[in-house]
Amino acid sequence: MELYEFMKFLPQNLIFFLDTGYISNPERESISQVANYAEFADFIRRFTVPYFEQARLFFPRARREGLLEGYNEISLYMEHTLKYIIEYFTQPREDRVP
């Protein structure tokens, strides 16, 4: 399978690490293979949320500078927010010390 084909179906296949679905598991027994849900969530975001991969590199600096104040757990991962974070740290600014 080519990389493009793999990446095209990756998001819908990641959920199988959490649950195989009713048809395969009608008793709904927990079969999760995920050891760390926070890391798994970041892994999914890196492949499915536009701009997340680039913006996450700036998250520590954005937190230190107070750039993330006022964002909630949903708005932080919206495309326009992630683009703003990237642009904030990649565009030259006179009022910010590197």
Side-chain angles (χ1 to χ4, degrees):
M1 176 181 283
E2 293 182 28
L3 181 60
Y4 171 77
E5 288 297 315
F6 175 74
M7 295 302 291
K8 187 171 139 183
F9 294 104
L10 182 62
Q12 61 197 21
N13 291 328
L14 289 174
I15 200 159
F16 292 117
F17 285 100
L18 301 174
D19 182 57
T20 57
Y22 179 77
I23 295 172
S24 299
N25 185 8
E27 290 81 27
R28 308 305 284 178
E29 297 172 18
S30 177
I31 60 162
S32 176
Q33 299 177 33
V34 176
N36 184 317
Y37 283 96
E39 287 181 13
F40 186 69
D42 272 350
F43 178 76
I44 291 173
R45 286 184 188 109
R46 291 176 73 179
F47 285 100
T48 62
V49 176
Y51 301 100
F52 179 82
E53 180 65 13
Q54 298 92 335
R56 76 183 189 92
L57 302 174
F58 301 111
F59 284 170
R61 286 177 59 196
R63 182 178 292 280
R64 279 194 309 270
E65 293 189 23
L67 193 65
L68 304 179
E69 291 178 15
Y71 289 101
N72 63 33
E73 55 279 341
I74 296 172
S75 63
L76 179 59
Y77 300 108
M78 297 179 87
E79 186 173 325
H80 69 275
T81 304
L82 297 170
K83 285 172 77 172
Y84 171 70
I85 292 169
I86 294 165
E87 290 170 5
Y88 183 88
F89 288 107
T90 58
Q91 300 298 319
R93 294 176 53 124
E94 294 179 13
D95 62 332
R96 182 170 38 89
V97 178

